[in-house]
Amino acid sequence: MAIIPVDLAGRGYEVRVERGLLARVAEECGPLLRKPRVPIVTDSNVCAAWGSAVEASLRAAGHEPRWHVLAPGEASKSWAQIAATTDWLLAQDVERGDHILALGGGVIGDLTGFAAAILKRGCGFIQLPTTLLAQVDSSVGGKTAINTPAGKNLIGAFHQPALVLADPDALDTLPLRELRAGYAEVVKYGLIDDPAFFAWCAANAAALLGGDAEARAYAIAHSVAAKARIVAADERETTGARALLNLGHTFGHALEAETGFGERLLHGEAVALGMVLAARYSARCGLMPVAEAETIAAHVAAAGLPVSLSGLGLQTTGTALTVHMLHDKKMDAGTLPFVLLRGIGRAFLARDVSLGDVAAFLDEAL
Ligand code: NAD
Ligand code: GLY
């Protein structure tokens, strides 16, 4: 088993990566589950695929699992569902020292984490991520949130889990499109500061996407280690280190907003195209060779992810896309920091990017 510590003073925890963790969840959580009753929040897809394995493990250890099953999809990250979930948790008599299990992808992790952050001013929770995106990114680092009509993830809290159990076997039931979308966040770590990992991705993406369990476990553990390092250095995104994790997200956010934050373009797909746009924009600014930006695009395309803005068939303009960027929560005193690249593995935060120039670049790409 890979055990990756997330070192945060007073709030540190482990991320464990191993096949079969979901089937022995009770054993792994041990004394964190201090009462017979165990509240679990999940969605109906995940419940159908993994509910019985989790239920069986908990029952064998003498627990009484209690399930709160939400509709799958981004729409569940809402005020209505946070109200319903916290009401349900109160009805289950959850106390501050208890731990709620969040079984699912980033939607369930973000919503359950936020519920845990506000329930009785903060109770415990354990992440059981079941998508690649959640295993390599969203379950680690304590960002929790819901969406509002004003935008995505605008209401939330930093609230760290007490434990994360990432079981690569969970990916066996994940639709291929979701798997690919999560893979974008894996490649991201190579692009940020780890060219050797980008090379590993280039050599192993097909195996990983094709079901190779060893490649999956390696990619998850390596990605989590990268994220844990960054979160330990800059938990609340104040020094700039954690902001590098937003590579591709500013362009991606605009595309998600334009396409309605839904099935048309998944979050990971938007990040994939966003990373390619960040690389091509960096090349256009003379920061990195065009050929290196195209190496990134070729790898992203080979993983079955979108690399062409014109391919989305959007009826929009570069200026309209930059207006979406202005509503990004990363806006800071009227400026929008962009993560750009000086090469593969050489990401940096640029605070002087002209939105007019970005709009012109996007018009060309459209
Ligand atoms: P998701 O949670 O919507 O899951 C994707 C789909 O896969 C859903 O339909 C779900 O029901 C299904 N599913 C999940 N696991 C499955 C499994 N093992 N087998 C079969 N089906 C399964 O999407 P996601 O991509 O995991 O997460 C996206 C969310 O994560 C967004 O809301 C995004 O804002 C958030 N996010 C948060 C952070 C963070 O740091 N907190 C980081 C990145 C993304
Ligand atoms: N996914 C970005 C972060 O956790 O900071």
Side-chain angles (χ1 to χ4, degrees):
M1 171 166 15
I3 300 180
I4 300 113
V6 183
D7 292 321
L8 293 167
R11 294 180 310 289
Y13 53 96
E14 284 181 0
V15 183
R16 300 181 197 152
V17 183
E18 193 176 50
R19 299 182 66 186
L21 285 176
L22 285 181
R24 52 172 207 275
V25 68
E27 194 182 312
E28 293 293 330
C29 294
L32 290 176
L33 304 181
R34 58 185 195 157
K35 293 180 185 161
R37 195 183 286 183
V38 177
I40 306 154
V41 181
T42 190
D43 73 32
S44 55
N45 291 337
V46 179
C47 195
W50 292 97
S52 55
V54 170
E55 170 95 14
S57 165
L58 291 168
R59 290 225 175 261
H63 290 292
E64 295 160 27
R66 299 293 169 96
W67 294 86
H68 183 59
V69 182
L70 299 168
E74 194 64 36
S76 284
K77 273 175 62 174
S78 65
W79 278 121
Q81 291 310 323
I82 201 76
T85 302
T86 46
D87 282 346
W88 178 80
L89 291 166
L90 291 172
Q92 298 302 316
D93 293 326
V94 174
E95 297 170 342
R96 275 189 182 168
D98 294 342
H99 290 86
I100 307 161
L101 302 188
L103 175 69
V107 164
I108 291 300
D110 280 14
L111 175 99
T112 310
F114 186 45
I118 59 177
L119 193 91
K120 299 187 176 172
R121 300 202 178 95
C123 70
F125 79 116
I126 294 170
Q127 292 269 21
L128 306 175
T130 61
T131 63
L132 183 57
L133 182 138
Q135 294 183 344
V136 301
D137 186 3
S138 64
S139 65
V140 181
K143 282 188 180 176
T144 74
I146 56 167
N147 308 323
T148 72
K152 217 183 130 175
N153 293 332
L154 293 182
I155 304 291
F158 284 97
H159 187 59
Q160 300 291 343
L163 176 67
V164 182
L165 301 177
D167 181 347
D169 286 352
L171 307 180
D172 291 348
T173 57
L174 190 67
L176 180 59
R177 186 178 173 199
E178 297 288 352
L179 189 71
R180 287 181 166 143
Y183 179 71
E185 303 280 7
V186 174
V187 180
K188 184 181 78 177
Y189 295 109
L191 294 178
I192 290 174
D193 65 357
D194 193 347
F197 186 55
F198 182 81
W200 182 92
C201 287
N204 293 282
L208 186 161
L209 293 169
D212 182 321
E214 216 169 290
R216 287 178 176 181
Y218 177 81
I220 296 164
H222 194 92
S223 300
V224 167
K227 179 143 188 187
R229 253 192 324 273
I230 292 173
V231 168
D234 181 18
E235 182 186 6
R236 293 193 166 231
E237 208 165 308
T238 46
T239 67
R242 188 162 183 171
L244 294 181
L245 292 173
N246 295 326
L247 174 62
H249 285 58
T250 303
F251 286 104
H253 175 86
L255 300 175
E256 281 186 277
E258 186 65 29
T259 51
F261 294 104
E263 284 296 303
R264 190 165 163 207
L265 190 68
L266 301 178
H267 174 74
E269 294 170 340
V271 168
L273 180 47
M275 291 191 301
V276 170
L277 290 171
R280 287 180 173 150
Y281 182 71
S282 300
R284 184 181 190 264
C285 296
L287 292 164
M288 73 188 285
V290 171
E292 210 167 329
E294 291 313 312
T295 298
I296 295 170
H299 177 59
V300 171
L305 287 160
V307 295
S308 149
L309 193 49
S310 56
L312 294 185
L314 300 176
Q315 301 299 313
T316 189
T317 63
T319 303
L321 289 174
T322 57
V323 169
H324 289 308
M325 293 176 182
L326 290 173
H327 297 131
D328 199 297
K329 64 186 173 315
K330 294 182 278 297
M331 281 294 288
D332 183 21
T335 63
L336 181 59
F338 274 79
V339 185
L340 298 182
L341 292 166
R342 293 196 176 94
I344 291 170
R346 297 176 63 206
F348 71 103
L349 203 55
R351 297 188 186 274
D352 55 354
V353 172
S354 145
L355 277 184
D357 193 43
V358 171
F361 162 73
L362 290 171
D363 275 329
E364 290 160 23
L366 281 162

